[in-house]
Amino acid sequence: MGEARGVTLRAQWLGQMLRDLREDKRLTLREAGEYLQRTGATISRFETGVYPIRRVDAAALLDLYGVEDPGRRDTLLQLAGELWHTGWWETYSKDAWSSTIDLAWLENRALTLRTFAGLVLPGLLQTRDYILSLFQAANSEMKEREIERAVELRLERQRVLVREEPVRLSAIIDEAALRRPIGGAQVMVGQLKRLREAAELSNVDIRVIPFSRGAHASPEGSFTLIGLEEPFSEIAHTESAGGAIYLERGDVDRLIDVYDRLQESSLSVEESAAFIVAMEKDLS
């Protein structure tokens, strides 16, 4: 299941910000390279994220580019440090797609997560048995150990909901995702119980869009909006058979509007909780 690590999202982010700063100063790659006693090609690799920049080199470039604001410097240097920092998610790097590792990193940085689940339930709210059933059905070529590592990674990601300063999760779930019996009736009973218990957390809101509401604003499928601390803007994450896609700026604005309209189509938090309880009783 794993792949070559390649360019990480965080390296691309920092590289783009350094490129913007250099271009604002009207400096060439060669001039920036000479300042670091490196080649222009090396600076280019830093800016594209092909080679993650070291914190000391990032600090030197910030000096060159005249970045004096303490908050901005700290944010960029912290990000530079994270390029080489080994978080818990990196222990799964040999077993998971790099885009999944990037997602785990983003979730740990996030202040808010707003997700729409159209086909299966949100990953951060899934039980072990539900996750296992999903991976077994979708990845027939995976070995048992690989599946177990994938399950463990998804369960580890869920810790952001119960950490000391938990992320705020708002989840809108299409009734179709609730009705599909992943793993069978017994697994679904446990999964619905998990949803009910998660909804009791002060940092988790769960809403359901019932079939009775008809068409909704996202027939294309599921997505997640990830809210980060400044200076980073909210970004969007979508999954497909071809891998993960991350969207920024204008594309995110469109999905924010879609999410707002989905919320208008959904039941209230209280009505959604009652809906899930009723389903659980029907299956028990």
Side-chain angles (χ1 to χ4, degrees):
M1 182 179 177
E3 64 177 2
R5 295 296 293 124
V7 180
T8 65
L9 185 66
R10 47 197 185 274
Q12 288 179 312
W13 276 6
L14 180 58
Q16 182 60 55
M17 286 185 281
L18 291 174
R19 177 181 177 178
D20 291 343
L21 289 169
R22 176 179 61 78
E23 292 181 343
D24 285 345
K25 287 293 183 179
R26 300 185 181 279
L27 293 171
T28 65
L29 289 169
R30 179 179 177 181
E31 288 169 332
E34 288 176 347
Y35 184 80
L36 288 186
Q37 297 184 329
R38 304 287 185 89
T39 65
T42 297
I43 303 300
S44 178
R45 286 193 288 271
F46 288 158
E47 292 181 354
T48 56
V50 171
Y51 186 79
I53 191 171
R54 295 283 184 180
R55 184 184 174 99
V56 63
D57 289 330
L61 287 179
L62 294 181
D63 290 339
L64 175 64
Y65 302 153
V67 179
E68 298 179 352
D69 178 74
R72 192 177 190 190
R73 285 185 68 93
D74 287 347
T75 296
L76 294 174
L77 291 177
Q78 180 185 358
L79 185 54
E82 290 180 13
L83 301 186
W84 295 92
H85 174 68
T86 303
W88 66 260
W89 47 86
E90 296 293 351
T91 63
Y92 293 89
S93 61
K94 294 182 179 179
D95 305 295
W97 296 103
S98 61
S99 57
T100 304
I101 301 302
D102 283 333
L103 178 59
W105 170 74
L106 282 169
E107 289 170 340
N108 274 266
R109 257 186 164 268
L111 299 177
T112 61
L113 296 169
R114 295 188 287 171
T115 188
F116 169 63
L119 297 176
V120 298
L121 298 175
L124 294 184
L125 299 175
Q126 294 171 2
T127 64
R128 171 180 281 276
D129 289 339
Y130 187 96
I131 300 169
L132 181 60
S133 297
L134 280 177
F135 278 115
Q136 288 175 333
N139 300 280
S140 59
E141 77 285 356
M142 287 176 65
K143 298 178 180 178
E144 184 176 346
R145 178 194 172 279
E146 292 175 326
I147 291 178
E148 184 58 31
R149 289 287 285 171
V151 172
E152 289 176 5
L153 172 55
R154 186 161 296 182
L155 290 172
E156 283 283 334
R157 286 170 46 207
Q158 296 178 3
R159 292 183 353 195
V160 297
L161 297 178
V162 294
R163 65 191 183 191
E164 186 173 346
E165 295 184 12
V167 69
R168 178 76 189 182
L169 173 66
S170 296
I172 299 175
I173 303 173
D174 193 309
E175 184 177 344
L178 290 167
R179 292 291 180 188
R180 184 172 295 279
I182 304 297
Q186 185 174 355
V187 170
M188 286 305 298
V189 168
Q191 178 59 71
L192 293 171
K193 179 182 178 182
R194 162 65 175 151
L195 290 180
R196 174 167 52 81
E197 292 173 344
E200 295 174 357
L201 297 173
S202 62
N203 58 303
V204 176
D205 287 341
I206 297 176
R207 294 173 179 265
V208 174
I209 300 180
F211 289 148
S212 60
R213 296 293 168 91
H216 58 62
S218 186
E220 299 85 3
S222 306
F223 62 91
T224 298
L225 298 167
I226 304 172
L228 303 164
E229 287 185 301
E230 293 185 353
F232 305 108
S233 58
E234 193 165 27
I235 67 170
H237 168 266
T238 64
E239 288 280 357
S240 72
I245 300 172
Y246 291 97
L247 304 173
E248 301 179 63
R249 301 181 178 89
D251 293 323
V252 174
D253 293 338
R254 185 185 69 82
L255 285 178
I256 289 173
D257 177 68
V258 169
Y259 191 87
D260 289 342
R261 288 188 285 131
L262 287 168
Q263 195 164 45
E264 292 173 1
S265 299
S266 67
L267 300 174
S268 69
V269 170
E270 294 75 19
E271 291 169 333
S272 297
F275 189 97
I276 292 169
V277 168
M279 286 191 62
E280 184 184 346
K281 288 181 179 178
D282 287 344
L283 287 174
S284 298

